[in-house]
Amino acid sequence: MNLDYLKEYDYVVVMGHRNPDMDSIVSSILVRDILRSFGVKSDFAVIKNSNSFDSNIKNMNDLIDEKPLEISAEEIGEYKFFLVDHNDVNQSIKKSNLVVGCIDHHLSSGKIDYYYKDLGACALVIYDLFKDKYDFSQKHKKLIYFAFLSDTNFGKSSRYSISDERLVKELGYNTNYDNHFKKYFKETKISENNFKESGFKVIDINGIEFESSFLNVVNKEDKKEKYINFVKESNCNYIGLWYDFGEECTFTYVKLAGELLVLKYDFIASRAMDIIPDVQKIIKDRKMIT
Ligand SMILES: [Mn+2]
């Protein structure tokens, strides 16, 4: 990927999705630094009041020692944006005409053109794309490694692949993640606010809009009913994921046209690569395509 065409812009803002997670923030920092390295003025940013999240990494705030620029919804039109870790403008700036570039590891929303690669974290895609052209620092590499650990749930996600493993080795890290899981994995605190905000995304599946959140828990069976009720009572279509890291399985609660469906996976299932395609199949079978 050649980013030379971006030299025509005075200033480019790099942005991840709403409720940015580790991968969105790290990917933003990487692209900002790459742009700066060839003379494009750039900052990474979040949309004001949309940066609350509950990371699955304990030391996230120690790792990321700088603050993003905050852009209010009213100011969005004043900037050009390079999007990372999402390709659906509804998950951030809403307007596709402001996008000058995008790198992502999620399947296409059909809204903008972007560079896609099927890797466990967007930060790994950026590393793989630019490793021959840009000199990533040790600090960058550590951030990339933690973005990878976060997005693949320490290699436990079904999304984790041999290509990820190869890149982790290239970065100079060990590919046994058990110690990191023990040391850095953070459970999602069970609260109404986290039911709403943890991993929150608005997802468009064949023209049908879903809200979605996920919780990472260890042996919280007694609390599961509360989350199921939250999904049931949602007043829109909903995809709620209950990741149980004790049993290493995924309970998926789908509210679709007022009905609650339960999908169970006996592994840590990827929202992007397992669950959304399965919900898409259900929608197709029911001939609900709009
Ligand atoms: Mn990601």
Side-chain angles (χ1 to χ4, degrees):
M1 190 186 199
N2 193 334
L3 293 183
D4 277 346
Y5 72 97
L6 291 172
K7 286 182 179 164
E8 71 171 275
Y9 299 102
D10 297 332
Y11 181 57
V12 175
V13 172
V14 189
M15 188 177 271
H17 54 74
R18 185 192 136 148
N19 286 2
D21 52 15
M22 185 86 188
D23 189 31
S24 269
I25 295 287
V26 170
S27 297
S28 301
I29 290 173
L30 296 175
V31 171
R32 177 204 61 183
D33 289 350
I34 293 166
L35 288 177
R36 284 182 179 175
S37 78
F38 60 86
V40 177
K41 255 179 82 187
S42 175
D43 281 305
F44 79 110
V46 296
I47 293 173
K48 214 172 199 165
N49 304 325
S50 80
N51 56 341
S52 70
F53 61 93
D54 191 21
S55 173
N56 60 344
I57 300 276
K58 257 180 201 156
N59 62 334
M60 163 136 180
N61 290 333
D62 304 337
L63 286 164
I64 296 165
D65 56 2
E66 51 179 331
K67 290 265 171 283
L69 198 76
E70 291 191 18
I71 294 178
S72 69
E74 298 75 47
E75 294 165 338
I76 287 173
E78 298 165 23
Y79 298 99
K80 295 291 182 206
F81 292 89
F82 194 105
L83 303 183
V84 290
D85 200 30
H86 70 300
N87 67 82
D88 181 346
V89 285
N90 287 333
Q91 291 173 10
S92 61
I93 58 171
K94 315 271 193 213
K95 294 187 191 80
S96 49
N97 62 319
L98 303 174
V99 178
V100 297
C102 176
I103 299 173
D104 189 22
H105 68 137
H106 296 94
L107 296 175
S108 175
S109 67
K111 294 193 175 75
I112 56 170
D113 291 331
Y114 69 109
Y115 181 90
Y116 168 80
K117 196 160 188 177
D118 182 13
L119 291 172
C122 186
L124 281 182
V125 178
I126 295 164
Y127 172 71
D128 194 41
L129 262 172
F130 294 100
K131 61 192 178 190
D132 299 328
K133 302 174 201 140
Y134 179 78
D135 195 12
F136 290 95
S137 68
Q138 276 314 315
K139 191 173 160 190
H140 282 135
K141 288 180 182 175
K142 188 173 182 184
L143 288 176
I144 296 165
Y145 181 56
F146 274 90
F148 153 79
L149 289 177
S150 173
D151 254 35
T152 64
N153 280 305
F154 299 81
K156 291 178 189 293
S157 165
S158 62
R159 182 138 202 208
Y160 175 55
S161 72
I162 189 99
S163 316
D164 295 340
E165 187 180 13
R166 203 177 301 131
L167 289 167
V168 167
K169 279 183 189 153
E170 267 184 48
L171 286 166
Y173 287 93
N174 195 306
T175 53
N176 181 336
Y177 316 113
D178 293 346
N179 285 335
H180 280 83
F181 180 75
K182 275 185 209 130
K183 202 167 161 193
Y184 296 114
F185 174 73
K186 193 170 108 198
E187 271 191 85
T188 314
K189 221 176 94 205
I190 302 288
S191 71
E192 278 289 325
N193 190 52
N194 278 340
F195 289 175
K196 285 195 201 108
E197 293 296 330
S198 172
F200 179 82
K201 256 180 200 172
V202 175
I203 302 166
D204 183 318
I205 307 180
N206 293 77
I208 299 173
E209 197 169 273
F210 289 82
E211 289 191 0
S212 175
S213 64
F214 60 71
L215 301 186
N216 297 319
V217 302
V218 182
N219 305 326
K220 291 282 182 304
E221 269 310 289
D222 52 322
K223 299 282 186 355
K224 203 161 71 183
E225 205 57 37
K226 268 193 176 170
Y227 186 57
I228 298 172
N229 280 330
F230 163 79
V231 175
K232 249 190 218 164
E233 278 158 25
S234 146
N235 47 26
C236 57
N237 295 315
Y238 206 92
I239 300 174
L241 310 179
W242 181 272
Y243 285 121
D244 183 334
F245 285 86
E247 300 290 326
E248 291 207 14
C249 64
T250 309
F251 293 89
T252 306
Y253 304 104
V254 182
K255 185 165 179 183
L256 176 60
E259 193 187 338
L260 188 80
L261 311 166
V262 184
L263 310 174
K264 193 186 166 195
Y265 302 82
D266 57 7
F267 51 90
I268 300 299
S270 154
R271 177 162 65 182
M273 305 312 266
D274 298 309
I275 292 157
I276 292 176
D278 284 350
V279 173
Q280 199 162 24
K281 264 184 230 143
I282 292 170
I283 291 171
K284 262 189 192 157
D285 289 347
R286 296 183 171 203
K287 302 197 172 32
M288 289 175 69
I289 295 177
T290 51

